[in-house]
Amino acid sequence: MAVQVSVITTSSLGDRSYLVDDGRFAVVVDPQRDVDRVLYRAGAADVRITHVVETHLHNDYVSGGVELARLTGARHLMAAADEVDFDRVPVDDGDVIEVSDTLRLRAVATPGHTYHHLSYLVDEATEDGWAPLGVCTGGSLLFGTTGRTDLLGAEHAHELARRQHTSAGRLADLLPDGAQVWPTHGFGSFCSAGQSDAPDSTIGREKQVNPVFRLAEAEFVTETLAGLDAYPAYYAHTGAVNAAGPAPVDLTPVARADAAQLRERIAAGEWVVDLRHRKAYAVAHLAGTISLGLDGPMSTWLGWLVDWGAPITLLAETPEQIADAQRELVRIGIDRPAAQATGAPRQWAGQPTELRKLHVADFPALAAAQRGNPPDGLPAPQAVLDVRLGNEWRGAHIAGAVHVPLPELPRRMADVPAGAVWVHCASGYRAALAASLLANADRDVVLVNDLFDNAEAAGVRLSRDA
């Protein structure tokens, strides 16, 4: 049977894991912490997992490698130079891993994302010998970009960018143009130095479109470092957890909170997170809660903004949504929410006065308001607040807007001008979180729930000054 590569996507974090099998035996590459998905996929394919491979020590998620190896008895492969507090099979550049008589892996040192990063060439046996099918590149060569080089500290970013350029060239030398590229990061992950919408790629395609091949080393280093933006604060915790060895996942339901308990948690300043869509949140929500819908990267932004270890309470319409949120959170190391409640806002409030609405508008409404004609019921904007990240702001922003990146907003509330604030991001998702934080600080706020790409056509004046 031919070798198959199955993609296991974690879209909320922008990552992919892989199940590589020959119809009998399988290798799992860079598994997420909730390994039940991997076990299900292997069971459906009727293959036995014999090897679990990690391309590097991850920062953006807690690995499932330790647990998957324990459950399956598979060999757990990691770079020999990575210092970890658990048993694993050390792997060095050039090592060959014989999975079966039809499937093997070859380890290739590809430093750049980290110093000890490994990529794994996937070979299939043919009548003429071994033929390379592709390469699992982890955080090295991505679709149209490469992994970022500053996660080990800004002082290492330049040297790692140089090594990233060399590593990409090495993979191109080792593989034919038709070889598939299977990266772990790059689909919205903050581990990526850039973004790409490509669904798949090959070495040949990357040679044509990827800056790492189009630019000389010095130019690549300069461009890569200039493009790096902020990354989530929780990365500092997940990296340490992965080096220590993550504990098994506990996805059992957490305690329920009634209206009185929710009121107490909010009064204590705890994060009570409303997982419903921001449109539903705007219609009615429990005052003091935070909007972080399950329709977006909830765990990324919650993990970025909340004080690590602080109690978190989850609100959703159904128990299934709570379960989905728990799964998302364990992937970044937030293991057990303090409490949860399901239903509707009226069930979470002890009395109607505890419910609140949120003003919502779009960019045409903002354009009208800036001309002095705000839609009925909406306050005239005294300030427009942009909570996107730095690179987004530098690309284009609303003329006269105030820029406070969302990760900085909790500690920079004083930088938001007095009066009614209209807040936007690129889509409305982050702006909803920002609006809820502002409303909880007793600010008069309007959520601009619209795509930023629509702003100029709607009549909002943009500035493109750096």
Side-chain angles (χ1 to χ4, degrees), residues 148-368:
R148 66 188 302 156
T149 64
D150 61 338
L151 296 183
L152 301 181
E155 66 274 18
H156 299 288
H158 187 278
E159 173 60 23
L160 285 172
R162 289 182 59 250
R163 297 194 185 196
Q164 192 77 293
H165 189 272
T166 300
S167 294
R170 188 179 184 202
L171 291 176
D173 290 341
L174 287 171
L175 289 161
D177 285 355
Q180 293 289 314
V181 177
W182 297 301
T184 300
H185 305 311
F187 313 95
S189 168
F190 282 92
C191 277
S192 173
Q195 298 298 325
S196 172
D197 295 329
D200 52 53
S201 193
T202 62
I203 290 291
R205 178 185 178 276
E206 292 307 311
K207 287 179 179 178
Q208 295 176 349
V209 304
N210 200 313
V212 76
F213 295 118
R214 292 190 291 103
L215 301 177
E217 180 184 281
E219 295 174 290
F220 171 76
V221 170
T222 299
E223 182 174 295
T224 296
L225 299 186
L228 295 176
D229 212 331
Y231 57 84
Y234 71 80
Y235 279 21
H237 304 283
T238 48
V241 169
N242 284 330
V249 167
D250 180 2
L251 291 175
T252 58
V254 296
R256 293 184 60 86
D258 60 23
Q261 291 167 327
L262 292 175
R263 185 166 57 251
E264 290 173 0
R265 291 186 177 278
I266 292 171
E270 295 182 10
W271 278 61
V272 179
V273 179
D274 192 325
L275 300 168
R276 298 173 304 145
H277 192 279
R278 55 191 177 275
K279 290 183 178 179
Y281 180 89
V283 171
H285 59 271
L286 188 60
T289 58
I290 303 296
S291 174
L292 268 174
L294 276 175
D295 57 298
M298 177 274 298
S299 60
T300 294
W301 290 106
L302 181 56
W304 199 330
L305 293 177
V306 74
D307 291 335
W308 202 252
I312 296 167
T313 297
L314 303 175
L315 305 179
E317 293 169 335
T318 68
E320 290 76 18
Q321 291 168 340
I322 296 290
D324 288 343
Q326 283 186 245
R327 182 177 291 270
E328 294 285 354
L329 291 173
V330 298
R331 292 171 180 159
I332 66 165
I334 298 177
D335 281 13
R336 299 294 291 169
Q340 55 91 8
T342 57
R346 64 180 181 278
Q347 298 170 280
W348 306 330
Q351 49 191 348
T353 55
E354 295 176 14
L355 296 179
R356 187 172 64 193
K357 295 181 179 181
L358 182 64
H359 291 306
V360 180
D362 54 17
F363 281 114
L366 175 58

Side-chain angles (χ1 to χ4, degrees), residues 30-61:
D30 288 341
Q32 291 271 336
R33 195 179 183 196
D34 49 328
V35 297
D36 56 334
R37 294 186 296 160
V38 179
L39 295 171
Y40 175 84
R41 192 71 64 93
D46 194 24
V47 294
R48 180 164 67 89
I49 298 171
T50 58
H51 296 76
V52 177
V53 172
E54 310 243 27
T55 57
H56 61 291
L57 277 173
H58 302 283
N59 285 282
D60 67 328
Y61 67 86

Side-chain angles (χ1 to χ4, degrees), residues 73-142:
R75 303 178 73 201
H76 188 191
L77 278 56
M78 298 185 68
D82 278 331
E83 296 182 3
V84 295
D85 298 332
F86 51 87
D87 291 334
R88 90 293 195 211
V89 178
V91 180
D92 287 305
D93 179 52
D95 285 355
V96 178
I97 299 96
E98 304 284 355
V99 180
S100 70
D101 56 357
T102 59
L103 171 62
R104 76 176 187 184
L105 305 180
R106 285 181 284 157
V108 179
T110 47
H113 190 48
T114 66
Y115 279 106
H116 310 308
H117 190 286
L118 294 173
S119 295
Y120 289 88
L121 277 59
V122 178
D123 292 340
E124 180 180 36
T126 69
E127 293 180 356
D128 300 322
W130 292 96
L133 295 180
V135 56
C136 295
T137 57
S140 182
L141 181 64
L142 313 183

